[in-house]
Amino acid sequence: MTGLPIGRPRSDTARRAVLDAALAIAARDGYPAVTIKGIAQTAGVGRQTVYRWWPTRGAVLMEALGEIGEVLGLPTPTADAWADLRTFLDRTFAMAGTSPEVGVVLLGLTADAVADPELSVVLRQYIAGRRAMLRGLLERCGQDWYVPVDTVVDMVFGAMWYRLMNEHAQVGAELAEEMLIAVELLSKTSGARAPGALRSSQSKNDSN
């Protein structure tokens, strides 16, 4: 989300510096420590430069998060839909769990969105986009499920969000593998693949 452009077009160099500064502060000091003043100082620009393009810290970080999401979007499709699903889950959980800024920013934006209707709309759009990606991958894996495919989407992303919020367990490769097994068990059309077979074959490949 960005503010309305006023005056001169945005400088790509300054824009990049602002987004990187906001992420760096969030990763180092936590989301509440992110301020427009701090972003401007870290990026080496004036506060008015930041305000010209983004009305709030949430707007800055939402744009930064959106860029990360674009880079780690859908994998290039292969003939194996289940392998593509695994790649997507690995990327998504690695992004949320091992990139220190991403989990912090996701939770911080969710909190800010409660009091910021415009940010709430953009955040929901971002989440809807990620849900659509996962739904499309699941539909490639099979059309027949024991529960609605949207419930499977809720289960996968719900596990990620619950761990991010409560910090009782890690979000990463192990959770991706566990979710893949759960998804396979919910699919009526997974074919001859036994639940967990993709993990086993991947482990063998990694060890070779």
Side-chain angles (χ1 to χ4, degrees), residues 1 57-67 109 119 122-123 126:
M1 178 176 68
R57 67 178 179 184
V60 178
L61 286 164
M62 189 69 248
E63 185 167 333
L65 180 64
E67 284 196 351
L109 287 171
L119 176 61
V122 180
L123 180 59
Y126 171 81

Side-chain angles (χ1 to χ4, degrees), residues 91-125:
R91 288 180 180 178
T92 298
F93 290 170
M95 175 179 69
T98 61
S99 298
E101 68 274 15
V102 173
V104 168
V105 168
L106 276 172
L107 296 180
L109 287 171
T110 301
D112 274 1
V114 173
D116 185 338
E118 185 178 355
L119 176 61
S120 177
V121 169
V122 180
L123 180 59
R124 287 177 185 274
Q125 290 172 342

Side-chain angles (χ1 to χ4, degrees), residues 19-109:
L19 298 183
D20 290 346
L23 289 171
I25 296 170
R28 185 187 67 219
D29 302 325
Y31 189 93
V34 180
T35 64
I36 297 296
K37 178 180 179 181
I39 292 172
Q41 290 178 338
T42 302
V45 301
R47 271 184 283 180
Q48 288 306 312
T49 297
V50 181
Y51 279 121
R52 184 182 300 123
W53 302 329
W54 299 277
T56 64
R57 67 178 179 184
V60 178
L61 286 164
M62 189 69 248
E63 185 167 333
L65 180 64
E67 284 196 351
I68 295 172
E70 287 180 5
V71 173
L72 298 175
L74 284 172
T76 302
T78 70
D80 189 337
W82 286 97
D84 294 345
L85 175 62
R86 180 196 174 95
T87 298
F88 179 80
L89 294 182
D90 281 342
R91 288 180 180 178
T92 298
F93 290 170
M95 175 179 69
T98 61
S99 298
E101 68 274 15
V102 173
V104 168
V105 168
L106 276 172
L107 296 180
L109 287 171

